Amino acid sequence: LLNAGFSSGKAPWEFEVSSSNGAAATWSVNDGIADVQISRPGTKGWHITLQQGVSLTAGSTYEFSVRMKSSGIRGAIMQGKPGSGTSLGEWQQVSLGTSWSTHSLTFRAPSSRTYEIVLRLGGDRKSVQVDWARVVGEGGDSSPVPPPPSPSPSPSPSPSPSPSPSPSPSPTPIGPITGQLLLNAGFSSGKAPWELRESSGAAATWSVNDGIADVQMSEPGTKLWHIALQQGVSLTAGAPHQPSLRV
């Protein structure tokens, strides 16, 4: 990737907003941090994207890594896909919070062509900040991930002869994230209560063996949501929840 740490501003990163789907957002770069502010999120991740094209070699495996944070708990989608055609390539959903976190996606390039390295940020109004990204091939750059930006220290207040004000009450802390809410989370009991849903011409089957759910697609459809593996859970209003997934 070029300008992977946003030290040279925006180029060659591209920011796309699908206004036809009701999305509206702006982005800026300050002190090596790309800041995406979302006023209307749209309804899908691809309605707001930050991306860059790279040339890859057929048959090689690559790792796309990125460090991000958000103004609140939300999801985002990392994707590596061909720059032309309808293929969705490889993708995964990640969870963001208010602290910097690094995420990685491994994918294989089936042909030598330009690929789009994409962050899908639509579908949620919470802002997103990105300070570093990298795409490396097999045997490529193994240098350590640079440290995240340090928060700017607040200036010390000037001494005042007036009496010290009464301390403000401490804010009520958000409770810890609760335990596992999904049933049969590790697929040790087969399929139930997980559901595989297909729509808009998509066709797929799935099986569970040795605690691994295997989804085989014969007709992928044209959107990510055309094939979905899902489960319903009961959540508590106002409580934080963090979805995690290994694929």
Side-chain angles (χ1 to χ4, degrees):
L1 290 174
L2 301 178
N3 190 24
F6 300 96
S7 58
S8 303
K10 295 180 176 180
W13 291 93
E14 298 178 352
F15 187 62
E16 296 186 359
V17 179
S18 180
S19 57
S20 61
N21 286 291
T26 60
W27 78 303
S28 59
V29 174
N30 296 288
D31 297 325
I33 298 175
D35 182 18
V36 178
Q37 295 292 324
I38 301 169
S39 53
R40 295 197 303 273
T43 58
K44 305 293 182 185
W46 60 269
H47 291 170
I48 300 172
T49 63
L50 183 62
Q51 60 194 54
Q52 183 180 148
V54 294
S55 296
L56 304 182
T57 301
S60 296
T61 300
Y62 295 86
E63 182 181 65
F64 168 30
S65 301
V66 63
R67 184 165 54 214
M68 300 183 284
K69 69 175 183 176
S70 175
S71 58
I73 296 175
R74 59 158 292 163
I77 293 177
M78 303 172 62
Q79 184 179 26
K81 71 180 186 70
S84 59
T86 59
S87 173
L88 295 174
E90 300 289 338
W91 63 277
Q92 72 177 19
Q93 183 160 349
V94 298
S95 297
L96 308 182
T98 56
S99 299
W100 291 106
S101 57
T102 302
H103 308 272
S104 296
L105 167 68
T106 300
F107 64 96
R108 187 173 183 272
S111 60
S112 296
R113 58 197 299 184
T114 299
Y115 271 64
E116 295 289 344
I117 302 302
V118 185
L119 294 174
R120 295 187 173 195
L121 307 176
D124 195 308
R125 195 183 301 273
K126 299 179 188 71
S127 63
V128 176
Q129 290 77 46
V130 185
D131 87 299
W132 171 86
R134 178 172 67 184
V135 174
V136 295
E138 296 169 320
D141 183 9
S142 59
S143 58
V145 176
S150 301
S152 301
S154 301
S156 301
S158 301
S160 173
S162 57
S164 300
S166 300
S168 301
S170 300
T172 302
I174 296 176
I177 295 175
T178 58
Q180 175 63 269
L181 299 179
L182 292 171
L183 300 178
N184 189 24
F187 299 97
S188 59
S189 303
K191 295 181 176 181
W194 292 93
E195 298 178 286
L196 183 72
R197 295 193 175 181
E198 308 142 277
S199 62
S200 301
T205 60
W206 76 303
S207 59
V208 174
N209 296 287
D210 297 325
I212 297 174
D214 181 18
V215 180
Q216 298 291 327
M217 289 163 277
S218 54
E219 294 293 340
T222 58
K223 306 291 183 185
L224 296 177
W225 56 268
H226 289 171
I227 298 174
L229 184 61
Q230 61 191 55
Q231 181 183 147
V233 294
S234 296
L235 304 182
T236 302
H241 300 87
Q242 182 175 2
S244 300
L245 178 70
R246 183 167 59 214
V247 293

